[in-house]
């Protein structure tokens, strides 16, 4: 590990009093990805990213557009989605320490930062590397920059863009990653009444593009509200990217910490409906010494593990991009066949609307029949209710373009031929 990082870890005062410093991520000398054990130093990343962009533009995007994939799922990817820096998304209920954690990583205050016990962060904030001093970039301007991965957010309209901003600043950690702070998840009607944009869809957009999702909890407030539960359920397709951080762990005794940790694991298991819960880190990330010295060694080790997790993101970026593209391509293929199957059952002349309504009502059965008919894996099918709602917004399904089987065949080649060839070409470039 970097001597600077090691020194910072061992220091009892988490942040210097003057707010200087910042986290320099640890580096591993082997160049090995923790994922598949593949030596990424052999590959030219620029060749891979440009190849992935070309494959998406030529073989996947045409099928997305013809089958209206963007209406049902997420808008098409932009070129900057492929070669942007890894993104770390932070979310949690208000006042769990999300903004303080970002300040801890940066080593100093950042423009527009607001920290307090009340709900303070009322907007999405993307914190990025900047070369011309600290500045705030309004959301609408940020979404129009071709070299930033946020162009797809413009589809959420001005109500959202007024609640989105970018911060450009200089900090060692921003050489490798981009941090995204989110508004605290409120409980009850406050979550929906005060927000005149689709919070859950925005969160879903960020989750699809994030390389790491950190869900933060306060050791004193473990309650998982219905709103937080809904957001966690939205993130289920991205469980491999999710980590949980139990913050302010130094404010309680070792015995209490053990009980709190157990209660959190139990609650998460119920929400995620799985016996294998994602990794839970414990720590205290703010600019003051640890309150309880009993678990200093434990919290220091946990902090080191979390920073290692973040440090591996740039190394794993290539395999992550390939993985995300393959996941998207599989989803597009299944979507195209579902629309094709439903479209085929509509009559040519009158009675289309009634038939379409009946198909939507029994959509669960149609999914099963479609999977059998085209031999599609059921695990790749979308969630039933969101798909049903999107179908209800389409007046006449027969107006969707007819499925071109050649396009599907070309897209299938992406998995079996194109990506292996691309890795081979990048290896010897």
């Amino acid at each position: 590990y970097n001597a600077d990082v090691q020194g910072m870890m061992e220091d009892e005062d988490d942040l210097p009093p003057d707010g200087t410093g910042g986290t320099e991520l640890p580096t591993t000398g082997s160049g090995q990805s923790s994922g598949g054990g593949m030596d990424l130093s052999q590959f030219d990343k620029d060749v891979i990213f440009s190849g992935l962009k070309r494959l998406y533009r030529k073989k996947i995007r045409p099928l997305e557009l013809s089958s209206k994939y963007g209406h049902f799922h997420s808008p098409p990817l932009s070129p900057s989605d492929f070669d942007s820096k890894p993104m770390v998304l932070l979310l949690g209920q208000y006042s769990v320490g999300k903004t303080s954690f970002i300040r801890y990583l940066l080593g100093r205050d950042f423009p527009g930062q607001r920290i307090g016990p009340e709900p303070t962060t009322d907007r999405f904030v993307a914190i990025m590397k900047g070369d011309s001093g600290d500045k705030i970039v309004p959301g609408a301007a940020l979404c129009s920059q071709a070299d930033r991965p946020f162009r797809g957010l413009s589809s959420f309209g001005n109500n959202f863009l007024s609640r989105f901003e970018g911060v450009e600043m200089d900090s060692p950690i921003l050489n490798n990653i981009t941090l995204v702070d989110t508004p605290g998840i409120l409980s009850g009607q406050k979550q929906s009444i005060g927000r005149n944009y689709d919070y859950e869809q925005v969160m879903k957009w960020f989750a699809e593009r994030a390389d790491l999702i950190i869900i933060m909890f306060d050791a004193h407030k473990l309650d998982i509200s219905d709103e937080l539960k809904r957001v966690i359920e939205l993130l289920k397709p991205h469980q491999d990217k999710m980590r949980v951080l139990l913050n302010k762990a130094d404010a309680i005794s070792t015995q209490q910490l053990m009980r709190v940790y157990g209660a959190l694991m139990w609650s998460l298991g119920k929400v995620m409906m799985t016996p294998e819960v994602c990794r839970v880190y414990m720590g205290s990330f703010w600019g003051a010494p640890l309150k309880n010295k009993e678990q200093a060694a434990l919290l220091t080790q946990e902090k080191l593990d979390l920073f290692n997790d973040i440090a591996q993101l740039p190394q794993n970026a290539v395999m992550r991009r390939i993985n995300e593209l393959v996941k998207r391509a599989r989803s597009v293929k299944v979507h195209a066949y579902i629309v094709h199957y439903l479209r085929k059952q509509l009559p040519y002349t009158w009675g289309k609307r009634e038939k379409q309504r009946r198909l939507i009502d029994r959509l669960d059965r149609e999914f099963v029949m479609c999977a059998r008919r085209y031999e599609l894996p059921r695990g790749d099918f979308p969630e039933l209710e969101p798909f049903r709602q999107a179908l209800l917004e389409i007046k006449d399904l027969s107006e969707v373009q007819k499925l071109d089987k050649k396009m599907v065949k070309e897209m299938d080649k992406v998995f079996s031929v194109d990506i292996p060839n691309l890795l081979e070409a990048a290896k010897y470039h």
Side-chain angles (χ1 to χ4, degrees):
Y1 303 112
N2 253 324
D4 295 344
V5 180
Q6 195 69 25
M8 191 191 77
M9 295 297 181
E10 290 164 359
D11 193 359
E12 282 184 358
D13 293 334
D14 289 340
L15 203 68
D18 62 353
T20 58
T23 306
E24 184 85 50
L25 291 178
T27 55
T28 51
S30 64
Q32 289 243 326
S33 154
S34 66
M38 186 177 283
D39 187 359
L40 296 174
S41 60
Q42 301 176 49
F43 296 105
D44 186 325
K45 291 186 183 182
D46 293 334
V47 171
I48 293 178
F49 288 146
S50 61
L52 291 177
K53 281 188 264 190
R54 189 179 66 253
L55 288 176
Y56 175 73
R57 189 179 68 250
K58 290 188 172 179
K59 300 197 171 184
I60 300 173
R61 196 169 185 269
L63 192 58
E64 282 189 25
L65 297 175
S66 66
S67 63
K68 291 188 179 291
Y69 182 83
H71 172 75
F72 290 83
H73 302 279
S74 59
L77 300 177
S78 65
S80 54
D81 284 319
F82 290 92
D83 46 20
S84 58
K85 287 174 186 170
M87 192 188 295
V88 177
L89 178 69
L90 288 118
L91 60 98
Q93 296 180 129
Y94 75 89
S95 195
V96 294
K98 297 186 295 296
T99 307
S100 298
F101 177 67
I102 289 175
R103 181 182 178 273
Y104 183 91
L105 290 177
L106 297 173
R108 62 187 180 93
D109 292 345
F110 58 90
Q113 161 192 311
R114 288 180 290 279
I115 295 174
E118 74 284 3
T120 46
T121 303
D122 63 344
R123 60 195 62 221
F124 287 81
V125 184
I127 300 139
M128 306 159 288
K129 177 76 174 173
D131 301 318
S132 53
D134 297 2
K135 63 178 180 182
I136 294 176
V137 184
L142 193 59
C143 290
S144 62
Q145 293 179 12
D147 61 332
R148 299 290 191 191
F150 304 112
R151 297 187 78 176
L153 288 168
S154 54
S155 62
F156 292 106
N158 284 330
N159 286 338
F160 167 71
L161 294 179
S162 64
R163 295 289 180 190
F164 175 52
E165 66 186 23
V167 170
E168 292 186 355
M169 61 180 290
D170 189 28
S171 178
I173 197 169
L174 297 179
N175 294 327
N176 299 304
I177 61 171
T178 294
L179 299 165
V180 178
D181 194 8
T182 62
I185 297 167
L186 306 172
S187 57
Q189 290 183 315
K190 290 177 284 187
Q191 173 76 357
S192 52
I193 287 177
R195 290 177 177 154
N196 51 2
Y197 59 89
D198 195 334
Y199 177 86
E200 290 180 2
Q201 285 305 309
V202 171
M203 199 63 94
K204 188 178 172 186
W205 188 95
F206 275 108
E208 284 173 357
R209 285 154 181 81
D211 293 77
L212 191 68
I213 302 166
I214 298 177
I215 305 173
M216 294 187 70
F217 288 91
D218 184 331
H220 297 97
K221 294 187 295 187
L222 283 190
D223 177 49
I224 299 181
S225 66
D226 290 344
E227 288 69 31
L228 179 57
K229 184 182 175 188
R230 268 209 306 278
V231 171
I232 293 175
E233 284 169 353
L234 270 181
L235 303 178
K236 267 189 181 176
H238 313 288
Q239 277 194 15
D240 59 318
K241 301 190 281 191
M242 283 166 62
R243 304 289 183 273
V244 172
L245 176 56
L246 182 60
N247 197 21
K248 307 180 187 178
D250 66 324
I252 54 178
S253 69
T254 307
Q255 186 182 21
Q256 288 171 326
L257 181 60
M258 185 178 69
R259 289 176 177 164
V260 164
Y261 182 85
L264 178 60
M265 294 291 278
W266 183 81
S267 301
L268 287 170
K270 284 191 73 177
V271 172
M272 294 180 178
M273 302 297 284
T274 171
E276 298 90 12
V277 180
C278 54
R279 173 75 158 90
V280 177
Y281 295 100
M282 294 179 285
S284 179
F285 298 93
W286 63 319
L290 294 178
K291 289 181 181 175
N292 191 336
K293 305 291 185 191
E294 282 179 42
Q295 55 256 31
L298 169 67
L299 297 185
T300 301
Q301 188 57 50
E302 288 281 297
K303 194 187 301 179
L304 198 56
D305 289 349
L306 174 60
F307 284 1
N308 274 331
D309 214 346
I310 297 173
Q312 285 167 357
L313 292 178
Q315 298 174 41
N316 297 339
V318 170
M319 301 317 289
R320 171 78 63 193
R321 296 290 182 270
I322 292 172
N323 185 47
E324 291 298 320
L325 188 67
V326 169
K327 267 167 66 177
R328 189 176 179 97
R330 290 172 68 96
S331 172
V332 170
K333 179 183 173 180
V334 167
H335 168 80
Y337 271 116
I338 292 170
V339 172
H340 171 67
Y341 180 75
L342 296 174
R343 188 180 176 280
K344 269 178 69 178
Q345 296 185 64
L346 296 177
Y348 284 110
T349 50
W350 55 82
K352 284 184 184 179
R353 190 168 291 182
E354 292 77 13
K355 179 67 175 176
Q356 185 170 319
R357 181 76 220 188
R358 284 201 302 276
L359 288 172
I360 292 171
D361 287 343
R362 57 170 195 248
L363 195 58
D364 50 344
R365 273 174 43 206
E366 300 302 330
F367 273 13
V368 173
M369 299 298 287
C370 178
R372 284 183 192 157
R373 172 77 178 81
Y374 299 110
E375 297 180 349
L376 300 170
R378 286 289 282 126
D380 287 347
F381 273 65
E383 283 190 47
L384 193 66
E385 283 311 314
F387 198 89
R388 180 178 276 143
Q389 290 305 314
L391 266 179
L392 288 169
E393 293 169 17
I394 293 181
K395 202 171 182 181
D396 185 359
L397 201 56
S398 61
E399 290 177 0
V400 179
Q401 284 182 37
K402 195 177 177 183
L403 179 64
D404 184 349
K405 299 279 178 70
K406 284 182 187 170
M407 287 166 75
V408 178
K409 206 170 278 185
E410 279 299 306
M411 199 176 73
D412 279 339
K413 279 189 194 171
V414 170
F415 315 133
S416 55
V417 179
D418 295 329
I419 288 179
N421 285 351
L422 178 61
L423 287 172
E424 200 65 26
K427 200 173 185 179
Y428 300 109
H429 196 269

